[in-house]
């Protein structure tokens, strides 16, 4: 079976992993247009190249990032998401005056 | 009789009647009214209906490989219309109607064989879902009903009614379910289209799309540039790659889909049998081979390689359904590329580029829609961009307005 190197658990069978889609920059949900949000949610590059993607090691519930070639299926690199994401994302709607 | 047969066999011109179904290759013309990219079932069907119903024959089909050599040859040739949404059922039942007449229309046998399709429910939730699908189908004139285990035993006596310890509770019996020879469908359409003046250019790869001021004006190919009035893209499995050349992104992710076929055995299985819970479907071809198919691969990839683990899991479940198949030998296995959309519905209609029409997102439901998709795309092209009612719900901008067509009945084996 194909193996993947999990940054937390080491080499494991690919069947233990779940693919989570391309890493994309999230627009601000509070201020972006519907089109920009649709673009973020649905539209993908889907090309033949090295792609940076989210993967989940399901048995340990650990999300990480992998760089993989979508033509050869070669996994070039896997690393912890903190390498790319080191700032806290605030999801709550902004408090507008008079609403609180 | 034996002597005439011998004489026939020894004739130096044997086989002396050589019918060329397709005209000989010609040079590309500098301009076409319509360029169809992709010479698979959908592309040639579109060209056929353009020529037949709309009198538009200055059409070129550009195919990078050969006629019907992509996913048209890789699907498992299932025709059915037992979908879930009203948009989906309306669309696919038109396709079933057209399929039934194709052999007569082409004067060429596409080996259409209506055997019915049986989908198995192993959970109460599935039974409820099937009841809804049966009602939606009946409402739009399809022949689909919910049947009980006794009726299933009578239809398929060889079926294990307790596969993988998941008892079969009910079945969705779709009497319109059928198969046809997929290659013949493409050949029939290509023959009909080229006889009416359409040009089919094989080994002609579109390397770039020329867009000027938001409007497509031509394509660059490995055999030179061609200017055109409009373009239809019908390249299942490569939709995002071609769209990128035209300058836009699509809501599509491309996954491989693997299938396989066994050695031929005596006929024992008339209906097409599928089990969404076991992620597999089984059917016996006219030649006696058993075809197995399942869900797409678990992650996106542009490769038609096969994997042992998918084979193992799919066959383990198939053997649960028909335990006596355990010792059968596989003869062939292959994979195709499926352009999956997040709502399991296709994308047909306009694109962000003017005069550039989309026929894409055909995931695992492309073959069964070939006739109606071709007919609708031809209408769209002939009217200069007026989208026919039937395919309006499937426009690409449904994703921008968050009005997806949630088609959970799209695949015989659920994803």
């Amino acid at each position: 079976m194909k193996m993947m190197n999990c940054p937390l658990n080491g080499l494991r069978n690919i069947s233990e992993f779940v693919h989570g889609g391309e890493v994309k920059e999230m627009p601000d949900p509070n201020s972006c247009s519907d089109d920009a949000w649709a673009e973020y949610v649905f539209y993908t590059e889907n090309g033949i190249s090295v792609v940076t993607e989210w993967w989940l090691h399901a048995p340990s519930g650990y999300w990480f990032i992998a760089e993989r070639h979508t033509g050869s299926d070669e996994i070039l690199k896997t690393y912890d998401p903190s390498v790319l994401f080191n700032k806290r994302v605030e999801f709550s709607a902004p408090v507008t005056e008079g609403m609180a | 009789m034996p002597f005439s047969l011998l004489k026939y066999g020894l004739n130096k011109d044997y086989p002396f009647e050589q019918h060329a179904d397709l005209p000989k290759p010609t040079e590309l013309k500098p301009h076409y009214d319509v360029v169809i990219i992709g010479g698979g079932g959908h592309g040639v069907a579109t060209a056929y209906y353009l020529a037949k119903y709309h009198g538009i024959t200055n059409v070129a089909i550009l195919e990078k490989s050969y006629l019907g050599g992509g996913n048209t040859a890789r699907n498992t040739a299932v025709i059915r219309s037992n979908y879930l949404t009203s948009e989906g059922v309306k669309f696919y039942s038109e396709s079933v109607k057209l399929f039934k007449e194709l052999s007569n229309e082409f004067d060429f046998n596409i080996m259409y064989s209506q055997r019915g399709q049986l989908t198995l429910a192993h959970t109460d939730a599935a039974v409820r879902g099937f009841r809804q699908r049966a009602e939606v189908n009946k409402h739009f004139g399809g022949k689909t009903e919910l049947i009980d285990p006794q009726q299933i035993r009578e239809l398929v006596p060889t079926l294990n009614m307790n596969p993988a310890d998941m008892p079969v509770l009910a079945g969705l019996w779709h009497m319109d379910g059928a198969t046809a020879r997929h290659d013949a469908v493409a050949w029939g359409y290509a023959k009909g289209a080229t006889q009416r003046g359409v040009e089919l250019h094989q080994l002609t790869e579109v390397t770039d799309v020329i867009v000027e001021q938001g409007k497509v004006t031509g394509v660059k190919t490995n055999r030179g540039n061609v200017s055109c009035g409009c373009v239809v893209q019908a390249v299942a499995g490569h939709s995002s790659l071609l769209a990128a050349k035209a300058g836009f992104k699509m809501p599509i992710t491309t996954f491989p889909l693997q299938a396989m076929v066994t050695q031929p055995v005596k006929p024992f299985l008339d209906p097409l049998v599928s089990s969404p819970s076991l992620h597999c479907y089984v059917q016996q071809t006219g030649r006696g081979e058993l075809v197995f198919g399942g869900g797409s691969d678990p992650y996106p990839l542009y490769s038609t390689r096969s994997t042992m683990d998918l084979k193992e899991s799919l066959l383990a479940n198939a053997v649960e359904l028909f335990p006596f198949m355990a010792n059968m030998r596989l003869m062939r296995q292959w994979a195709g590329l499926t352009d999956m959309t997040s709502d399991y519905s296709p994308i047909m209609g306009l694109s962000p580029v003017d005069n550039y029409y989309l026929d894409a997102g055909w995931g695992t439901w492309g073959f069964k829609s070939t006739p109606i998709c071709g007919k609708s795309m031809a209408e769209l092209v002939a009217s200069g961009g007026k989208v026919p009612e039937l395919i309006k719900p499937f426009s690409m901008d449904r994703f921008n307005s968050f009005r997806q067509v949630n088609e959970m009945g799209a695949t015989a084996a659920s994803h």
Side-chain angles (χ1 to χ4, degrees):
Chain A
M1 189 178 275
K2 192 176 174 63
M3 309 288 274
M4 193 173 203
N5 191 17
C6 173
L8 187 67
N9 302 288
L11 270 184
R12 310 294 303 172
N13 284 342
I14 193 88
S15 62
E16 291 184 13
F17 297 92
V18 180
H19 177 258
E22 294 168 11
V23 174
K24 307 180 205 173
E25 197 173 332
M26 187 178 75
D28 182 356
N30 297 315
S31 60
C32 75
S33 66
D34 281 358
D35 274 340
W37 189 249
E39 170 99 14
Y40 168 66
V41 176
F42 299 117
Y43 289 74
T44 55
E45 292 292 342
N46 197 31
I48 302 180
S49 60
V50 175
V51 178
T52 310
E53 338 171 273
W54 284 105
W55 281 81
L56 166 72
H57 181 248
S60 59
Y62 170 71
W63 282 98
F64 61 96
I65 290 169
E67 289 177 15
R68 184 176 68 94
H69 197 287
T70 52
S72 65
D73 201 15
E74 192 187 348
I75 299 160
L76 305 167
K77 230 164 136 182
T78 54
Y79 48 88
D80 190 83
S82 61
V83 176
L84 295 184
F85 299 89
N86 41 26
K87 263 187 292 187
R88 187 178 164 78
V89 181
E90 211 56 65
F91 282 102
S92 57
V95 181
T96 45
E97 278 186 46
M99 271 182 67
Chain B
M1 178 63 192
F3 285 109
S4 62
L5 192 65
L6 195 65
K7 204 176 139 197
Y8 176 83
L10 295 174
N11 189 316
K12 72 173 171 18
D13 294 329
Y14 168 79
F16 54 84
E17 265 188 308
Q18 260 192 340
H19 286 296
D21 281 341
L22 296 173
K24 287 208 171 98
T26 54
E27 285 300 309
L28 281 174
K29 287 197 284 190
H31 178 86
Y32 294 95
D33 294 338
V34 183
V35 162
I36 297 170
I37 307 175
H42 283 223
V44 289
T46 304
Y48 173 85
Y49 290 112
L50 270 175
K52 188 178 178 196
Y53 291 140
H54 307 284
I56 298 172
T57 54
N58 187 17
V59 178
I61 306 165
L62 307 181
E63 165 57 48
K64 75 170 172 183
S65 175
Y66 57 94
L67 168 66
N71 286 329
T72 302
R74 293 164 190 274
N75 60 71
T76 48
V78 176
I79 298 163
R80 63 187 179 90
S81 62
N82 54 345
Y83 282 68
L84 176 65
T85 61
S86 47
E87 296 91 339
V89 175
K90 265 193 263 183
F91 180 76
Y92 292 101
S93 51
E94 279 305 310
S95 208
V96 172
K97 278 184 218 158
L98 289 170
F99 261 120
K100 286 182 183 169
E101 300 304 322
L102 277 189
S103 293
N104 279 331
E105 201 176 326
F106 294 159
D107 193 19
F108 182 67
N109 194 358
I110 64 157
M111 298 186 186
Y112 183 82
S113 147
Q114 186 177 335
R115 302 121 153 248
Q117 194 226 7
L118 176 67
T119 315
L120 306 172
H122 307 271
T123 62
D124 286 338
V127 177
R128 279 196 297 278
F130 283 6
R131 190 166 286 139
Q132 186 191 350
R133 276 168 71 177
E135 291 308 318
V136 174
N137 269 248
K138 274 187 247 177
H139 184 73
F140 292 107
K143 280 183 268 170
T144 308
E145 59 186 50
L146 197 68
I147 61 173
D148 65 21
Q150 182 55 38
Q151 288 167 297
I152 295 174
R153 265 186 223 108
E154 285 164 15
L155 267 176
V156 192
T158 44
L159 180 70
N160 174 18
M161 294 299 283
N162 189 17
D165 290 325
M166 292 196 288
V168 175
L169 302 180
L172 187 68
W173 176 229
H174 179 50
M175 280 160 268
D176 298 319
T179 66
R181 189 178 176 202
H182 44 203
D183 303 323
V185 173
W187 297 340
Y189 274 123
K191 189 178 154 189
T194 49
Q195 275 171 355
R196 288 171 172 83
V198 170
E199 290 179 15
L200 170 66
H201 292 283
Q202 303 181 76
L203 300 173
T204 308
E205 183 173 5
V206 171
T207 50
D208 205 1
V209 179
I210 306 164
V211 179
E212 285 167 11
Q213 293 166 343
K215 189 174 159 184
V216 66
T217 57
V219 293
K220 291 181 186 169
T221 78
N222 57 344
R223 294 173 57 203
N225 294 4
V226 173
S227 76
C228 62
C230 68
V231 169
V232 176
Q233 103 156 50
V235 290
H238 295 82
S239 302
S240 297
L241 303 176
L242 185 57
K245 286 177 181 152
F248 58 93
K249 283 204 276 186
M250 295 194 80
I252 284 177
T253 314
T254 303
F255 294 80
L257 177 71
Q258 305 182 34
M260 64 208 98
V261 66
T262 68
Q263 61 187 160
V265 292
K266 276 185 184 172
F268 71 93
L269 185 62
D270 196 30
L272 319 168
V273 177
S274 76
S275 166
S277 301
L278 292 173
H279 303 282
C280 87
Y281 59 90
V282 183
Q283 77 203 53
Q284 191 168 25
T285 69
R287 292 188 294 270
E289 299 153 349
L290 289 162
V291 180
F292 303 114
S296 294
D297 269 31
Y299 59 90
L301 188 66
Y302 280 101
S303 165
T304 51
R305 57 95 178 94
S306 290
T307 60
M308 190 63 186
D309 28 325
L310 197 124
K311 297 272 173 303
E312 275 180 331
S313 64
L314 200 147
L315 288 176
N317 289 338
V319 169
E320 285 287 343
L321 290 174
F322 297 99
F324 63 91
M325 296 192 314
N327 292 325
M328 286 176 72
R329 281 153 201 262
L330 284 183
M331 213 162 56
R332 293 190 302 279
Q333 47 86 30
W334 67 94
L337 293 178
T338 57
D339 280 348
M340 303 300 290
T341 53
S342 55
D343 60 358
Y344 300 101
S345 288
I347 294 170
M348 281 175 284
L350 309 178
S351 77
V353 176
D354 287 347
N355 297 353
Y356 190 92
Y357 305 118
L358 294 173
D359 171 6
W362 285 107
T364 62
W365 45 91
F367 171 68
K368 54 180 76 65
S369 63
T370 305
I372 189 59
C373 177
K375 203 175 163 199
S376 307
M377 290 305 292
E379 247 180 275
L380 173 67
V381 170
S383 66
K386 193 174 167 295
V387 184
E389 277 304 316
L390 193 64
I391 62 168
K392 255 188 192 154
F394 303 114
S395 69
M396 186 161 86
D397 61 15
R398 71 175 184 268
F399 291 96
N400 298 65
S401 49
F402 303 92
R403 278 195 316 248
Q404 293 98 300
V405 184
N406 183 16
E407 191 48 90
M408 292 307 282
T411 53
S414 68
H415 290 274

